[in-house]
Amino acid sequence: MAFFKKIFKKVTGDESDQDLDLFVKTPVKPPYYGTVTPQPHFSAIRDAAALQKAIRAKGVDEAAIIDLLVKRSNDQRQQIKAAYQLDTGKPLEDVLKSALKSDFENVVLSLLMSPAYHDAHELKEAMKGLGTKEHVLSEILISRSNRQINEIKKVFKEVYGEDLEEDIRNDTSGDFMTTLLALCKADRNEQHDIDDSLANKDAKALYEAGEKRKGTDIAVFIDIFTSRSGPQLCKVMQLYSQYSEEGLADAVMNELKGDTEDCFMALVKCAWNPAAYFAEKLHLAMKGFGNDSDTITRIIVSRSEVDLKTILKEYKRLYQRTLQEDILAETKGDFEKILLALCGDN
């Protein structure tokens, strides 16, 4: 919550217009901020043989597995999987699952999944068995593009034989379910241009749907928060102060509750600064007694070819220590080593 208040103050403060102008000028295809890059002299056959040797080594050569997988892009790993199965007749994942264990095994298996398959897998796991990990559903659906969500839905259907939306209906309820289903439509505006007139209209609509009336017209909140682009939503937050002294942050906290409130807070955090959003989640996953290894693995693997470099910078800015320092303090063994390797050289 503290992170959100910092971001909200930045949005509604004197520097807002300047920041929003910079946001608008961001290119559609931003520079590469991942920590994992393709191996320039790549051979899927050679790498498959190297993995076979590492797996067959006495006690398993975990260091060789880490070095090979972390220094290959996801696309290259898919080629290695195909070459391994062609050569041995066995799926690489099954062999590694038998050879490895615990959190280290989970990272390695996650690295071997395509991005869409990994997201579909994480969504399925979040709705599997007793209890639902609502924060995982929110994290993935609010931070992926329309194209990515459509790919996830396609893979989910192919792998699990059912629609993602149907699983969401079966495992969630109420306004939270409605919000997730709206995100699953994958029709969010992704333009960087800001429509001031629409932002003002949305700000007024949110005020009238929440603070101004008795009870909350949640449908208005869901429609605006799940359909507007990040820059557009930030402008709405800025203009909301024209209608209320309370501000949109407090309005969301007062009008929405539970998983729905958490989802909306995540939507705004990710809209304004995705890297800071993920940095906060990583910090919370390592805060206190023990660690949330599933969250650490999911974020570091899924962002390693997207924006992990930026997340590392935001982590240090927010917490005055590096993510690598906290990984060293909170994890151990091969799990620690592969996480540090994915974080790169910085």
Side-chain angles (χ1 to χ4, degrees):
M1 197 65 70
F3 167 75
F4 179 84
K5 296 225 175 202
K6 285 182 186 177
I7 295 298
F8 189 76
K9 285 179 181 178
K10 185 174 182 181
V11 175
T12 57
D14 294 336
E15 298 178 2
S16 303
D17 290 334
Q18 180 181 357
D19 291 339
L20 285 168
D21 286 343
L22 290 173
F23 206 159
V24 173
K25 293 174 184 176
T26 301
V28 175
K29 292 184 179 180
Y32 184 71
Y33 295 116
T35 55
V36 173
T37 56
Q39 172 61 239
H41 307 294
F42 173 67
S43 167
I45 295 173
R46 184 176 61 238
D47 286 349
L51 278 176
Q52 178 76 324
K53 181 180 178 181
I55 294 166
R56 287 179 172 175
K58 187 176 180 180
V60 181
D61 189 348
E62 288 91 350
I65 294 172
I66 293 171
D67 187 63
L68 194 148
L69 293 181
V70 168
K71 293 180 179 178
R72 307 296 186 273
S73 67
N74 189 275
D75 180 64
Q76 289 175 334
R77 292 185 212 119
Q78 304 313 308
Q79 296 177 57
I80 294 169
K81 282 167 55 179
Y84 187 93
Q85 179 146 4
L86 188 64
D87 181 50
T88 67
K90 299 176 183 178
L92 178 57
E93 300 96 316
D94 292 350
V95 176
L96 287 168
K97 195 178 293 184
S98 300
L100 309 177
K101 60 182 179 179
S102 194
D103 296 327
F104 176 60
E105 174 196 333
N106 292 336
V107 179
V108 169
L109 294 179
S110 294
L111 287 170
L112 291 174
M113 299 176 189
S114 69
Y117 185 97
H118 182 243
D119 284 341
H121 170 78
E122 291 296 299
L123 289 167
K124 186 65 176 178
E125 288 295 307
M127 296 183 281
K128 190 176 179 180
L130 294 174
T132 301
K133 296 178 181 177
E134 290 85 359
H135 71 99
V136 177
L137 304 182
S138 295
E139 174 197 308
I140 292 174
L141 291 175
I142 70 172
S143 62
R144 302 316 191 245
S145 67
N146 293 337
R147 177 186 59 79
Q148 289 171 323
I149 290 174
N150 282 324
E151 289 177 357
I152 292 166
K153 291 195 294 182
K154 180 182 177 183
V155 171
F156 197 95
K157 179 74 172 179
E158 291 172 351
V159 175
Y160 303 110
E162 50 198 18
D163 293 327
L164 172 59
E165 294 91 336
E166 192 58 33
D167 263 23
I168 289 173
R169 289 189 186 94
N170 291 334
D171 284 87
T172 63
S173 61
D175 297 329
F176 179 59
M177 177 191 73
T178 305
T179 304
L180 294 181
L181 292 176
L183 291 168
C184 279
K185 292 178 182 177
D187 60 0
R188 200 183 321 183
N189 188 313
E190 295 180 332
Q191 298 299 315
H192 286 276
D193 294 335
I194 293 174
D195 185 332
D196 289 337
S197 177
L198 177 62
N200 186 61
K201 180 181 176 183
D202 285 346
K204 182 179 180 182
L206 287 169
Y207 174 69
E208 292 177 345
E211 286 186 68
K212 192 177 180 181
R213 55 173 284 167
K214 185 176 181 180
T216 305
D217 187 350
I218 187 64
V220 174
F221 278 77
I222 292 173
D223 176 57
I224 292 172
F225 275 77
T226 63
S227 64
R228 304 301 186 253
S229 68
Q232 187 69 29
L233 192 55
C234 289
K235 189 66 177 181
V236 173
M237 288 166 48
Q238 180 191 31
L239 294 178
Y240 189 87
S241 61
Q242 296 180 2
Y243 298 96
S244 170
E245 295 180 0
E246 187 175 64
L248 187 55
D250 291 328
V252 169
M253 287 185 281
N254 292 334
E255 300 297 331
L256 309 176
K257 303 298 178 186
D259 296 323
T260 307
E261 177 193 341
D262 293 341
C263 184
F264 273 70
M265 287 296 189
L267 270 165
V268 176
K269 291 177 187 181
C270 196
W272 182 256
N273 190 334
Y277 165 71
F278 285 114
E280 183 193 34
K281 285 188 69 73
L282 285 167
H283 177 70
L284 293 174
M286 291 185 282
K287 188 178 179 182
F289 182 75
N291 63 68
D292 181 354
S293 60
D294 289 340
T295 293
I296 297 168
T297 297
R298 183 179 61 257
I299 293 176
I300 290 181
V301 169
S302 66
R303 311 310 292 186
S304 62
E305 293 186 49
V306 182
D307 57 358
L308 188 51
K309 280 185 180 178
T310 312
I311 293 170
L312 292 169
K313 290 180 181 178
E314 286 298 307
Y315 196 97
K316 187 170 184 180
R317 181 182 68 82
L318 290 169
Y319 306 110
Q320 289 75 57
R321 56 189 287 117
T322 66
L323 175 59
Q324 292 94 322
E325 287 177 293
D326 281 344
I327 289 172
L328 283 166
E330 299 296 332
T331 65
K332 60 184 180 180
D334 294 316
F335 180 49
E336 171 193 283
K337 291 174 185 175
I338 197 167
L339 293 178
L340 291 173
L342 285 167
C343 287
D345 298 327
N346 42 357

